[in-house]
Amino acid sequence: MSERLEWDSSLSFIFAMIGAAVGLGNIWRFSYVLYSNGGGSFFIPYFTAIAIMGIPFLILEYGVGFSFKESFSKILKDINERFEYLAWALVLFVFIVTIYYMVILSWDMVYLLSSFTFSWGADTAAYFTNTVGGSSDLTSAGFLLLPTTICVVVMWIVVWYISHKDVDEGIGKVSKILIPSLFVIMGIIVVYALTLPGHMIGVDALLRPRWSMLLDINIWLAAFAQIIFSLSMGQAIALTYASYLPKASKLTDNVLIVVASNSLFEIFTAFGVFSILGYMSLHSGMAMGKLVTEGTGLVFIVFPMIFNIMGPIGRILAPMLFLAILFAGITSALGFFEPMLSSTSSKFNLGRRKTAAILSVIGCAFSVLLTTGISSYLVGIIDSFVNEFGILLLIGVQCVIFAWFYNIDDLVPVLNENGHLKVGKIWKFIIKYLLPIVLFAMWIFGIYDLFMTAARFELIIDVIIMVAVLAFSIILTRLSPREDEN
């Protein structure tokens, strides 16, 4: 096997990590979570979650990846051979995220192209259902939504082209272009949004504190869930990227830069989102509560409706928004793809180019299956199960493995060698005791909610995913490596 790949500098790593963290959820999920979980009072559990989970766990991931300089599957195998099964389970779950994430990116690409002519028309909900995302009507599963299908193939070609290169030549260079571009575009959108008439209606609705909600455990769970998925915690992305770091890297400093960038971006973006919603509320007379929706409904139905009434400026803002979402999505998709790419290449002594090609073809084939007339329904089912059951459980398991089966005392001098932020007893206490309890509690709450509300078709999909991940985890663990091709 060839020598371990390496970033040319910490700057490449930082931009790649910010790219992996800053994704679709920062743009369309955070503002909804903030609004629906207590407004301004939500910042208390939000920053608490960053302090006691986000920063400590990312420091752990950076330290482990930097120390071992191996793929995720090899790291867990080195700690204990039986843990390789768990490694492949997590990597497969994250690969599944890549598969449906590419479908969401393809929806955005369709809207980016549509934004030049506003071909979504007056009935934006019908356009999304009939052309892009489909519905929950199972009788629509027999046909493909061709614009989405074509864009999925294009997006996979883009991800393959970037990923098949060495990390610094591919992910590193692309991240250094797309992330600053993303920040500039969103900066322009948000600043303009704050000048719109009615913007304070939206900002007030977003930030109005509801202090009594702090007594609700679900608000705190929402804050911790937001941090986990906003920072792509425990998904082997940070660990894999950190394994490519050069010597003398300032690990803890890098963590603080990435966390601060991620949080500032999603808070800043939330002001823009709600300023635009406030403008719509003033213009249409609709209450804010009727306009605010989560995820795809907000971006692909409500926002096109708003752009329709904005006049010439809407023709400028619409392409800018969908381009920003595309940039955020591509860098995140590269992050989701990397753990599977790194682990497969390392396990089977395959070159990076060949591995990227094989996995891209497989991933693209499954993504195409999710572009039928029930595309958005399928994506929603898979997203809920993979995150709330698979990834959340395996983050907790990782925490236990690294804290109790691997001597984290060995990480302390590595982490403290170059960084300004020093770790010690408090950090070890959080990793060994506090985080496993929090993570497993979140998993139990999530599983209860997931299975109590799931319909029969949704449960069938959940079981298929679980069986497939278990089966392929066993197969990938037991397969023997190829002879070294180098």
Side-chain angles (χ1 to χ4, degrees):
M1 196 64 189
S2 60
E3 189 178 330
R4 187 70 174 167
L5 298 171
E6 201 171 86
W7 305 108
D8 68 345
S9 66
S10 288
L11 186 63
S12 296
F13 167 74
I14 288 169
F15 274 119
M17 274 306 307
I18 293 173
V22 172
L24 306 181
N26 300 74
I27 295 173
W28 68 42
R29 185 178 187 271
F30 175 74
S31 57
Y32 176 84
V33 171
L34 176 58
Y35 169 79
S36 58
N37 288 282
S41 56
F42 180 74
F43 284 115
I44 293 176
Y46 175 76
F47 286 114
T48 301
I50 288 175
I52 69 172
M53 183 171 68
I55 292 173
F57 198 91
L58 278 184
I59 288 174
L60 174 67
E61 287 194 276
Y62 284 23
V64 172
F66 181 77
S67 297
F68 278 87
K69 294 202 176 297
E70 293 280 5
S71 66
F72 182 68
S73 59
K74 276 200 171 184
I75 290 173
L76 260 62
K77 184 180 179 181
D78 286 347
I79 295 172
N80 187 309
E81 286 197 0
R82 289 172 294 180
F83 293 157
E84 189 180 356
Y85 294 101
L86 297 171
W88 282 112
L90 178 69
V91 166
L92 284 164
F93 272 124
V94 176
F95 186 54
I96 293 171
V97 173
T98 318
I99 289 168
Y100 71 74
Y101 202 84
M102 296 295 280
V103 177
I104 301 173
L105 269 185
S106 73
W107 300 343
D108 178 73
M109 189 175 179
V110 173
Y111 272 85
L112 174 60
L113 297 173
S114 300
S115 68
F116 295 104
T117 59
F118 278 29
S119 56
W120 51 64
D123 191 346
T124 56
Y127 179 79
F128 180 76
T129 300
N130 298 329
T131 307
V132 184
S135 67
S136 59
D137 181 2
L138 297 182
T139 60
S140 301
F143 65 88
L144 294 175
L145 297 161
L146 283 180
T148 302
T149 307
I150 293 167
C151 288
V152 153
V153 175
V154 172
M155 292 313 305
W156 268 108
I157 291 171
V158 169
V159 166
W160 161 78
Y161 181 75
I162 297 168
S163 293
H164 88 286
K165 299 182 177 183
D166 289 348
V167 289
D168 194 64
E169 285 293 310
I171 298 170
K173 282 189 174 179
V174 168
S175 298
K176 283 191 280 191
I177 296 169
L178 295 190
I179 294 306
S181 302
L182 167 64
F183 284 11
V184 169
I185 294 170
M186 285 307 300
I188 294 170
I189 293 172
V190 173
V191 169
Y192 178 78
L194 289 169
T195 69
L196 290 170
H199 76 275
M200 281 308 300
I201 297 172
V203 173
D204 180 65
L206 176 70
L207 296 181
R208 189 185 306 121
R210 300 185 290 282
W211 300 109
S212 61
M213 294 185 74
L214 290 175
L215 300 175
D216 184 351
I217 185 65
N218 290 308
I219 304 305
W220 292 81
L221 292 175
F224 279 83
Q226 175 64 25
I227 296 306
I228 287 173
F229 300 115
S230 177
L231 289 172
S232 299
M233 267 179 53
Q235 296 171 45
I237 299 170
L239 188 148
T240 304
Y241 278 2
S243 72
Y244 304 136
L245 275 170
K247 293 179 180 179
S249 295
K250 298 179 179 180
L251 300 178
T252 55
D253 292 9
N254 290 343
V255 168
L256 294 181
I257 293 169
V258 170
V259 172
S261 300
N262 180 76
S263 294
L264 288 171
F265 179 84
E266 63 185 9
I267 293 169
F268 182 68
T269 301
F271 277 85
V273 168
F274 268 74
S275 293
I276 294 172
L277 291 176
Y279 165 81
M280 182 64 176
S281 178
L282 178 67
H283 188 278
S284 65
M286 294 176 66
M288 282 294 297
K290 291 185 177 181
L291 288 171
V292 180
T293 182
E294 185 176 12
T296 54
L298 174 65
V299 172
F300 299 133
I301 297 174
V302 176
F303 266 57
M305 186 169 61
I306 297 171
F307 293 138
N308 282 343
I309 66 170
M310 290 185 95
I313 194 66
R315 301 276 174 171
I316 299 172
L317 289 182
M320 288 178 69
L321 175 66
F322 293 118
L323 185 64
I325 293 171
L326 189 69
F327 286 175
I330 288 172
T331 53
S332 292
L334 294 170
F336 289 129
F337 191 49
E338 188 64 25
M340 189 71 185
L341 174 54
S342 171
S343 291
T344 306
S345 175
S346 175
K347 166 83 178 187
F348 299 108
N349 290 325
L350 283 170
R352 184 177 179 87
R353 291 172 180 267
K354 186 181 293 185
T355 309
I358 293 169
L359 292 177
S360 294
V361 170
I362 294 170
C364 185
F366 280 104
S367 291
V368 166
L369 293 177
L370 299 181
T371 64
T372 67
I374 57 170
S375 179
S376 59
Y377 182 48
L378 279 174
V379 167
I381 295 169
I382 298 169
D383 177 55
S384 294
F385 179 74
V386 167
N387 284 307
E388 293 184 24
F389 176 82
I391 290 178
L392 195 54
L393 172 63
L394 289 165
I395 293 173
V397 170
Q398 275 183 80
C399 206
V400 171
I401 289 173
F402 293 136
W404 293 96
F405 293 89
Y406 171 71
N407 187 7
I408 62 170
D409 288 331
D410 293 342
L411 289 181
V412 173
V414 174
L415 292 166
N416 290 341
E417 185 177 1
N418 296 301
H420 292 89
L421 174 66
K422 306 300 182 184
V423 299
K425 291 181 179 179
I426 295 175
W427 176 73
K428 288 191 289 184
F429 172 81
I430 290 172
I431 297 298
K432 296 184 76 169
Y433 302 102
L434 187 58
L435 277 192
I437 293 170
V438 170
L439 289 165
F440 285 118
M442 287 179 65
W443 182 72
I444 291 168
F445 274 94
I447 285 300
Y448 177 80
D449 184 60
L450 182 70
F451 287 107
M452 290 301 290
T453 58
R456 183 181 178 186
F457 177 74
E458 294 168 6
L459 290 173
I460 291 170
I461 298 295
D462 294 345
V463 170
I464 290 171
I465 294 171
M466 185 162 54
V467 170
V469 168
L470 288 172
F472 279 100
S473 298
I474 294 170
I475 291 168
L476 288 167
T477 301
R478 294 186 176 179
L479 280 175
S480 299
R482 294 170 69 253
E483 289 295 321
D484 198 322
E485 64 177 33
N486 295 295

